[in-house]
Amino acid sequence: ISLQGKLKYLEWIAKVKVNTQAVLKRAQHVQGQKTPKKQWQAAWLLKAVTCIDLTTLAGDDTPSNIHRLCLKAIQPVRYDLLKKMDMHDKGITTAAVCVYPSRVADAIKLLNAANSSLPVASVATGFPTGQTPLETRLQEVHMAVADGATEIDIVINRMLVLTGQWEALYDEICQFRQACSDAHMKTILAIGELGTFTNVYKASMVAMMAGSDFIKTSTGKEVVNATYPVAIVMMRAIRNYFLCTGHKVGFKPAGGIRTAQESLVWLTLIKEELGNDWLCPHLFRLGASSLLADIERQIYHYVTGQYAAYHELPMP
């Protein structure tokens, strides 16, 4: 974007307002909709699996945790269950694994040993708060990319949103975009700390203007994470950006998504708000750690007619 174009867009962003009541009404409608059943549900759940960024972002992460996570990402649903659905040879994996920068090398090592090309995503830029000096945040991105991460989940500086410094936010994200080089950049807005829907919309637009490949709701560490009303605001921003520029930006809800039923609602929302083009890992991801276990449990029930005991399904 040229300097003149940037200033025009930033001037327009300053005037944006979001109709809160309309957003809440739409979110209520989505949650009340019926979701697919039987074989259609099983098919949608397998689609959800292929869109998961299987994540571990804990203080006690070790190489063995990462090892288990990667193996689960490569074979997310038990082979015998997939075989009974005639899906065992369709290459079903999760979309990526997502770890801290210091664990990227562990993930790369395991995936290389398993002869897997599964992408490794790394959080960066002072995750989860973004409250470290800019130089440190940029260095963190450089190091994660050098270790082999092909996707970087950056966090924005919430202070710039809350104080209306849209140009400064744009410039900062542009620097992260440059530091990512060829790696995909997912920009985490931390919507639970932005105050209003209007701020969420503005931050979404600025992040996309600055070169984000995805915009992501949350770190998963805030009190409020992925909610349907906020998702609708972000998806409308993605749609409007596409109509203005012809460029498709991905969407990633993260934090608190734990059940198979919720994943079906998210897929429905994406289909209705953005269309079938977004129903793929290239443009839609689910950031989750415990979601996969519940999806596999539902698939087990579809195949066998019974619910699995916890010891029957390997946990990541």
Side-chain angles (χ1 to χ4, degrees):
I1 299 174
S2 67
L3 180 61
Q4 193 176 3
K6 182 180 86 167
L7 292 173
K8 188 179 87 173
Y9 274 121
L10 290 170
E11 196 178 302
W12 169 74
I13 280 167
K15 296 173 185 171
V16 165
K17 291 278 187 294
V18 172
N19 182 338
T20 300
Q21 289 310 311
V23 169
L24 294 175
K25 191 174 178 182
R26 171 74 178 117
Q28 201 173 11
H29 172 72
V30 168
Q31 285 168 273
Q33 284 181 309
K34 289 182 179 176
T35 50
K37 303 296 178 195
K38 299 182 180 174
Q39 68 265 40
W40 296 280
Q41 184 185 79
W44 277 87
L45 289 177
L46 287 179
K47 167 65 80 175
V49 168
T50 65
C51 295
I52 291 175
D53 279 354
L54 195 57
T55 303
T56 180
L57 296 168
D60 58 359
D61 283 341
T62 62
S64 62
N65 283 42
I66 304 303
H67 186 102
R68 284 204 310 278
L69 186 86
C70 291
L71 290 177
K72 188 65 180 170
I74 295 167
Q75 182 71 62
V77 179
R78 245 172 52 179
Y79 182 82
D80 60 312
L81 299 177
L82 290 177
K83 194 164 176 62
K84 284 183 180 170
M85 297 169 74
D86 197 27
M87 294 297 289
H88 59 289
D89 55 355
K90 302 295 189 290
I92 289 177
T93 66
T94 65
V97 293
C98 184
V99 297
Y100 273 119
S102 55
R103 301 270 71 88
V104 168
D106 295 332
I108 294 287
K109 184 180 175 184
L110 185 280
L111 291 168
N112 286 343
N115 200 24
S116 170
S117 58
L118 198 75
V120 174
S122 171
V123 295
T125 68
F127 181 94
T129 62
Q131 294 281 17
T132 53
L134 180 58
E135 193 178 339
T136 308
R137 286 180 278 154
L138 288 167
Q139 188 61 29
E140 202 173 22
V141 176
H142 286 301
M143 290 169 76
V145 171
D147 279 347
T150 52
E151 302 180 2
I152 305 293
D153 289 31
I154 66 155
V155 290
I156 63 166
N157 183 344
R158 278 73 109 187
M159 180 271 291
L160 298 177
V161 173
L162 295 170
T163 55
Q165 297 182 60
W166 303 110
E167 192 170 356
L169 178 65
Y170 173 86
D171 291 338
E172 227 176 61
I173 299 172
C174 281
Q175 289 184 65
F176 296 146
R177 170 70 271 175
Q178 202 170 359
C180 286
S181 187
D182 293 333
H184 278 226
M185 184 173 82
K186 306 192 203 93
T187 300
I188 304 170
L189 304 184
I191 52 87
E193 296 174 350
L194 298 188
T196 65
F197 287 150
T198 299
N199 277 348
V200 170
Y201 186 91
K202 290 177 179 180
S204 299
M205 292 302 283
V206 170
M208 290 186 286
M209 285 166 53
S212 304
D213 295 297
F214 272 75
I215 51 174
K216 176 176 169 182
T217 59
S218 328
T219 64
K221 310 291 186 185
E222 294 93 44
V223 177
V224 178
N225 293 292
T227 66
Y228 301 121
V230 161
I232 288 162
V233 172
M234 292 174 70
M235 288 181 200
R236 294 287 169 96
I238 289 171
R239 188 203 296 177
N240 291 344
Y241 187 76
F242 172 65
L243 293 173
C244 288
T245 66
H247 182 66
K248 292 174 182 170
V249 175
F251 175 68
K252 178 179 174 180
I257 304 169
R258 294 188 178 89
T259 68
Q261 181 64 26
E262 286 173 283
S263 71
L264 295 174
V265 177
W266 283 109
L267 287 167
T268 304
L269 190 54
I270 280 284
K271 183 179 170 67
E272 291 187 359
E273 288 290 330
L274 294 171
N276 288 339
D277 284 1
W278 267 264
L279 280 175
C280 65
H282 183 60
L283 289 169
F284 177 61
R285 298 289 179 85
L286 287 157
S289 49
S290 57
L291 169 64
L292 182 57
D294 193 54
I295 290 180
E296 193 175 16
R297 200 160 173 263
Q298 297 302 325
I299 289 170
Y300 183 97
H301 180 260
Y302 166 71
V303 171
T304 67
Q306 300 172 316
Y307 280 108
Y310 281 106
H311 68 269
E312 291 181 282
L313 297 174
M315 296 293 285

